[in-house]
Amino acid sequence: NFLNKALLLEAEKMYLLGDFEEASKTYQEAIVLSNKHKFIHEEAIACELKGHFCFQTHNHRDALGYFVHSVRCYEKWGAKAVAKRVSHFVQNNFDSSALFQWPTKYTMSFDFSSADRDGTGIKKRIGEHD
């Protein structure tokens, strides 16, 4: 049950190497697998990192969605201080018009069914980058 963690590391690696398309896909796979295995804290971390990725690549709309989901996961897990830290980041880095609905009315939908049943395709793809 560490594939989601390996995917998150792979996403960070792809981001640092400038392969933004692959990084985006891999972050999403890490989020989906974390959710599938009910690792709420790891889903929160993956969403927060994907939020920072989107923010840094100037996709602020999606960044807000990932940050909201991250905050909700952190709160569900009981990590109130971490949720507050992410909320402060958002409030300090987004303009007021983007925050009009933060966080209560902002939602983002994820296709959690997109992870293959045993992770074979994902494991194979990670091996291609080594």
Side-chain angles (χ1 to χ4, degrees), residues 1 5 76 92 101 112 116:
N1 281 339
K5 296 168 198 63
K76 186 175 181 180
N92 292 328
Q101 297 183 9
F112 291 116
D116 47 350

Side-chain angles (χ1 to χ4, degrees), residues 41-130:
H41 57 299
E42 293 172 10
E43 183 178 350
I45 293 166
C47 284
E48 180 182 356
L49 291 174
K50 175 85 186 251
H52 285 293
F53 166 79
C54 291
F55 182 78
Q56 292 298 322
T57 56
H58 307 288
N59 185 350
H60 293 174
R61 185 183 186 301
D62 282 355
L64 272 175
Y66 285 105
F67 286 133
V68 167
H69 192 75
S70 175
V71 166
R72 288 181 181 150
C73 288
Y74 282 132
E75 287 175 344
K76 186 175 181 180
W77 186 45
K80 306 278 187 224
V82 182
K84 189 173 183 177
R85 178 186 50 78
V86 174
S87 291
H88 279 113
F89 174 84
V90 170
Q91 292 167 357
N92 292 328
N93 289 284
F94 287 84
D95 64 37
S96 59
S97 63
L99 296 176
F100 178 68
Q101 297 183 9
W102 168 266
T104 57
K105 295 184 180 180
Y106 203 96
T107 60
M108 177 165 249
S109 63
F110 297 107
D111 179 10
F112 291 116
S113 65
S114 66
D116 47 350
R117 176 173 254 149
D118 63 357
T120 308
I122 296 169
K123 288 178 200 170
K124 188 176 188 181
R125 203 173 50 67
I126 286 178
E128 293 171 0
H129 296 292
D130 291 337

Side-chain angles (χ1 to χ4, degrees), residues 20-39:
F20 297 155
E21 185 177 334
E22 195 61 33
S24 182
K25 289 179 197 175
T26 309
Y27 280 118
Q28 192 62 34
E29 290 171 342
I31 293 166
V32 167
L33 281 178
S34 296
N35 176 272
K36 177 181 176 183
H37 294 291
K38 302 190 186 327
F39 298 143

